[in-house]
Amino acid sequence: MFHFLKLSWIIAVLLFASCGATADTYSKDKLISELDNLKISKIAVLGVALDKSKDLLSSAQLHADKQSIVKAVLIQAEILKKLERYQEAQELLDTYSNRIESLDDPTFNLRADLLRLALLDNAAEFDKSKQLTQKIISKIKRASQNELVARSYLEVGYSYYLDTGMDKAIEFYNKAYEIYFRLNEESGLADVFNSLSLVYGEQGDKNLAVNYLKKALAIYSKLGYRHAASLAHYNLGFTYVDMGLLEEAKSQFSASIEISLDIDDKLNLAYSKSALARIFIKQSQFVNAANLYKESIAIFKYFDDEVTSFRMKVGLLESYIGSKDKIAAGKLFNKLQIDYAKYGQPGYPSKFLLISARYHELMMDYKRAFETQLDYSQRLLKNFDRVQEQDVEKLMVEFDSKIKESENLLLLKDNEVKKLRLEQQNSRLFFLILVAVMAILIVVVIGFLLYRQTLHRTRFQKMALRDHLTNAPNRRAVLQYAKERFSEARQTNMNFTIALVDLDHFKTFNDQYGHDVGDEVLKSFSNACASALRKQDRYGRYGGEEWLLVLGDTDKNEVTQIFNRLKANLEKISINGVEKPLTVLFSMGVAQYDPDTDKNVQDMIRRADSNLYEAKGMGRDRVIQ
């Protein structure tokens, strides 16, 4: 017995020692090095990186290194967010929130706030996310890491996009783009392109959205970022669906499925399969759609996501209805009625109601089909009215906040009036005069506030159409003018020209003299355009060192003259801090309006862009028409 106990004790000690050796796989120096190298912008396969982040967190806890623990927690939460496992990210952040704050590190705090912003946006808590956005913007100004600043601009822009603030979204995306461009950070540029595609897709410019998505996809594929590439295929598929290009959409969703299977990204696999199922329904391939929905439902059940699983089941019911499978549809419909009580939104026009009407029609219960369809339509109208009211309330928020002080002032005056009424009951004339004065004061205050509001609105409208660095018209402004001229040309057949200009070797100015000199070069080019162009011409900063010129009623000779005038203006420019004058060269690609081939202004810009590339390839410092 004694020998048996002794042997058991030795085995236990050996097991404990082996477990300890397995858990602590990193020395402290190795741990710090691995954490520094594991950056969210550099991760190709998120699933593998997530497992590694968990190992690093365990190792950091064994070392009791507070800073390494927080680093590991933040990178793990960022990966979970990328994988759209928001609940796990929230729980991890909540668990370690006090530790993050206790370190009082600006970088850690900013990263934690960016995660909180994404979680609030995912939960559609936009009032809270607006407050946090302002807090993040103030922290960005104190941040020292350029890459983190760019990522912050990107996250803030996405938050504005979700809350329908498209102009603000583009403003912050442009800020992120400029930093990533200076850093030559390709993965960041791809993220900006991907984000811009969502904005332009929402605004109806599907061709531009596809362009940006293809640029993002090319970079992700080049870098081997397969998870990001999978999401880009997914977004591209939905854009093609909106354009009615179903075969192209199927190809993109299939590519997303293939990558998701390869990297074991179950969530994106489920979303991509359900998206492909929607196309099969549109094409009346109901059996294929049903199979894909079943596979998606199994994955969402694995993640305990009952709400999304319910939505997929509604799609499965639609597939059964389409294939006229009454038995399968009946069984599923009875289950979904119970689930709808749990996961449906009372008062909202749920798709389940619309599919339910079709189910009753399949079962030849036309009375219930009509009643359900009517209920859905009434909810749809009520929801539309509710959205309209919310939009009006949103527009009034700023005005309400401005008159709040005047309301407080009037409240104080009202209290004084009550006091005077009690003290001077016999002085009714005085009271009436005081009421009249208050009425006049109200009119004056509100009139003044409305005047100030009009001034602010006008000022903000002008700011929205100006590039903040050069004070030249920005991309939005010059594109708007180009679209107006294009529309006019289509109606009157009047000639007009689009020119894309790119400053040659602009990066050399930044590398040799610094970004301040580069900024001055951009300002000088803007001034040169202002003096070289004619009254009927317009120009604007298109992005980075690219400029867009819109030239009215212009032939090839006049384009050449404009090119030469610009070139003469830029031959020798003086810049503070640079001893000798600089010569700025540029290349220009030109496209003249062709009514037979140009369906919109983007067609002209693409031809001008192609000619610009040709000018670059022929040695730069030239114009190609």
Side-chain angles (χ1 to χ4, degrees):
M1 183 69 179
F2 172 76
H3 291 296
F4 174 76
L5 291 172
K6 185 176 180 182
L7 181 61
S8 300
W9 181 81
I10 292 170
I11 291 170
V13 169
L14 288 172
L15 283 171
F16 178 80
S18 66
C19 288
T22 304
D24 188 11
T25 54
Y26 298 98
S27 67
K28 191 169 182 179
D29 290 341
K30 179 69 173 174
L31 171 67
I32 293 170
S33 173
E34 290 290 332
L35 285 169
D36 288 340
N37 291 330
L38 192 62
K39 294 181 179 179
I40 191 68
S41 62
K42 303 291 185 184
I43 296 173
V45 182
L46 291 172
V48 175
L50 180 61
D51 292 337
K52 185 170 184 178
S53 71
K54 291 178 180 178
D55 291 341
L56 291 171
L57 178 56
S58 298
S59 186
Q61 289 169 331
L62 285 171
H63 286 296
D65 184 344
K66 292 182 180 179
Q67 193 170 52
S68 295
I69 289 172
V70 169
K71 278 186 179 180
V73 165
L74 289 173
I75 191 67
Q76 188 174 325
E78 287 164 351
I79 295 170
L80 287 168
K81 187 206 82 172
K82 280 272 190 181
L83 289 169
E84 298 184 28
R85 290 160 64 172
Y86 295 105
Q87 184 62 37
E88 294 174 62
Q90 182 72 68
E91 290 170 359
L92 187 65
L93 206 57
D94 290 344
T95 302
Y96 289 92
S97 181
N98 290 336
R99 290 200 189 189
I100 295 170
E101 291 177 7
S102 67
L103 288 180
D104 196 25
D105 184 293
T107 298
F108 291 157
N109 286 331
L110 180 54
R111 287 173 65 184
D113 280 342
L114 291 175
L115 283 165
R116 293 187 186 102
L117 180 64
L119 295 170
L120 287 172
D121 286 336
N122 179 63
E125 296 185 28
F126 296 122
D127 288 337
K128 291 181 181 179
S129 70
K130 280 180 184 175
Q131 296 173 8
L132 184 55
T133 294
Q134 297 308 312
K135 181 181 174 184
I136 289 172
I137 291 171
S138 66
K139 285 186 177 182
I140 291 174
K141 296 173 183 176
R142 299 192 296 271
S144 57
Q145 297 181 13
N146 283 330
E147 193 173 343
L148 180 58
V149 170
R151 181 150 62 90
S152 301
Y153 284 141
L154 199 59
E155 298 284 358
V156 168
Y158 185 65
S159 183
Y160 275 114
Y161 159 76
L162 291 176
D163 195 27
T164 67
M166 299 302 173
D167 289 343
K168 295 292 288 183
I170 292 175
E171 175 189 335
F172 282 99
Y173 287 157
N174 281 336
K175 290 181 178 182
Y177 174 84
E178 288 175 1
I179 296 174
Y180 282 133
F181 185 81
R182 287 203 304 266
L183 297 174
N184 196 26
E185 181 59 57
E186 287 187 294
S187 63
L189 290 173
D191 290 340
V192 173
F193 293 148
N194 192 49
S195 300
L196 283 170
S197 74
L198 298 176
V199 174
Y200 287 111
E202 190 76 22
Q203 292 183 330
D205 197 338
K206 305 298 181 185
N207 289 321
L208 190 56
V210 167
N211 247 1
Y212 277 124
L213 279 168
K214 285 182 176 179
K215 286 182 179 180
L217 185 56
I219 295 174
Y220 291 142
S221 301
K222 171 189 169 186
L223 298 176
Y225 289 3
R226 308 200 68 198
H227 179 268
S230 174
L231 291 177
H233 280 298
Y234 179 80
N235 291 336
L236 194 50
F238 267 109
T239 307
Y240 280 136
V241 168
D242 290 340
M243 298 169 74
L245 304 173
L246 298 187
E247 292 304 318
E248 287 83 347
K250 283 169 69 174
S251 174
Q252 294 302 320
F253 289 135
S254 297
S256 181
I257 289 170
E258 183 180 348
I259 296 173
S260 298
L261 280 169
D262 197 33
I263 64 176
D264 195 28
D265 183 357
K266 291 183 176 64
L267 270 178
N268 198 51
L269 176 64
Y271 280 118
S272 299
K273 285 187 174 184
S274 65
L276 188 56
R278 291 300 312 155
I279 296 179
F280 281 137
I281 286 180
K282 288 176 182 287
Q283 296 180 330
S284 300
Q285 298 179 35
F286 300 110
V287 175
N288 290 338
N291 290 334
L292 287 170
Y293 274 128
K294 288 175 185 176
E295 293 168 6
S296 299
I297 291 166
I299 295 173
F300 287 118
K301 280 187 175 179
Y302 170 81
F303 285 106
D304 294 325
D305 189 346
E306 294 297 337
V307 176
T308 309
S309 181
F310 169 73
R311 295 205 330 263
M312 297 301 109
K313 289 176 185 175
V314 173
L316 180 59
L317 176 61
E318 188 178 3
S319 304
Y320 287 152
I321 293 170
S323 59
K324 302 191 183 332
D325 188 341
K326 293 184 178 181
I327 296 175
K331 289 179 180 177
L332 182 57
F333 179 75
N334 292 332
K335 292 178 182 177
L336 284 176
Q337 281 187 305
I338 299 171
D339 289 343
Y340 181 62
K342 297 179 185 176
Y343 310 120
Q345 293 179 284
Y348 278 80
S350 168
K351 185 181 178 183
F352 176 62
L353 290 176
L354 187 62
I355 302 303
S356 296
R358 291 176 56 192
Y359 167 75
H360 293 310
E361 183 183 356
L362 175 70
M363 297 301 184
M364 292 187 290
D365 188 348
Y366 299 112
K367 183 175 182 294
R368 288 189 68 185
F370 173 75
E371 290 172 348
T372 307
Q373 180 69 48
L374 183 62
D375 182 23
Y376 174 79
S377 300
Q378 289 172 342
R379 293 188 186 203
L380 199 64
L381 287 171
K382 286 180 181 178
N383 188 55
F384 176 78
D385 291 339
R386 182 164 44 241
V387 170
Q388 290 291 93
E389 288 173 8
Q390 288 171 350
D391 288 343
V392 171
E393 287 174 6
K394 189 175 179 181
L395 291 171
M396 290 298 295
V397 165
E398 184 179 352
F399 177 75
D400 288 342
S401 63
K402 288 180 180 179
I403 66 171
K404 198 69 178 176
E405 291 182 11
S406 65
E407 288 177 350
N408 292 335
L409 176 63
L410 294 176
L411 183 61
L412 290 173
K413 292 289 183 185
D414 186 52
N415 290 335
E416 290 177 11
V417 169
K418 288 178 181 178
K419 184 178 178 181
L420 287 171
R421 269 169 73 183
L422 291 172
E423 293 176 354
Q424 303 177 3
Q425 291 181 356
N426 298 326
S427 184
R428 190 166 183 78
L429 179 61
F430 175 78
F431 174 72
L432 291 173
I433 293 173
L434 185 59
V435 169
V437 170
M438 286 179 60
I440 294 170
L441 179 63
I442 293 171
V443 172
V444 170
V445 170
I446 293 177
F448 175 72
L449 289 174
L450 287 171
Y451 170 71
R452 288 289 301 275
Q453 186 185 34
T454 303
L455 287 180
H456 284 313
R457 186 186 293 115
T458 304
R459 176 168 163 263
F460 290 145
Q461 286 174 345
K462 289 181 179 178
M463 287 174 62
L465 297 173
R466 286 281 161 186
D467 177 56
H468 68 280
L469 174 63
T470 63
N471 201 34
N474 62 13
R475 180 192 184 101
R476 179 183 175 190
V478 72
L479 276 177
Q480 181 178 321
Y481 181 77
K483 288 175 181 177
E484 291 171 1
R485 296 289 72 77
F486 183 87
S487 178
E488 183 181 300
R490 294 200 73 169
Q491 293 174 7
T492 64
N493 208 26
M494 181 183 292
N495 183 37
F496 90 105
T497 302
I498 289 288
L500 266 179
V501 176
D502 187 81
L503 304 188
D504 294 337
H505 305 296
F506 179 72
K507 191 174 182 296
T508 304
F509 292 114
N510 286 333
D511 294 342
Q512 187 173 352
Y513 301 107
H515 292 289
D516 290 341
V517 171
D519 290 346
E520 291 301 320
V521 169
L522 291 172
K523 292 176 186 177
S524 297
F525 185 82
S526 176
N527 295 335
C529 286
S531 61
L533 298 182
R534 302 162 303 176
K535 289 182 179 180
Q536 68 266 36
D537 302 330
R538 295 288 188 277
Y539 74 100
R541 189 178 178 192
Y542 197 60
E545 67 270 22
E546 268 195 331
W547 299 77
L548 184 69
L549 311 184
V550 183
L551 310 174
D553 194 17
T554 309
D555 58 26
K556 291 187 177 182
N557 289 333
E558 288 172 315
V559 169
T560 304
Q561 291 172 13
I562 290 171
F563 177 84
N564 290 331
R565 285 202 300 272
L566 270 174
K567 187 173 179 180
N569 288 347
L570 293 167
E571 279 187 351
K572 290 186 178 181
I573 57 173
S574 298
I575 293 177
N576 291 335
V578 181
E579 294 180 0
K580 57 184 181 180
L582 297 177
T583 297
V584 179
L585 302 178
F586 61 92
S587 302
M588 179 186 291
V590 178
Q592 291 190 323
Y593 172 62
D594 185 341
D596 295 329
T597 61
D598 294 328
K599 304 303 180 188
N600 52 49
V601 77
Q602 292 299 328
D603 290 339
M604 294 183 67
I605 291 175
R606 276 190 284 273
R607 290 195 292 111
D609 191 38
S610 176
N611 287 336
L612 175 60
Y613 273 106
E614 185 178 344
K616 291 282 189 183
M618 293 175 67
R620 297 181 170 83
D621 187 25
R622 66 194 65 226
V623 58
I624 297 294
Q625 302 192 50

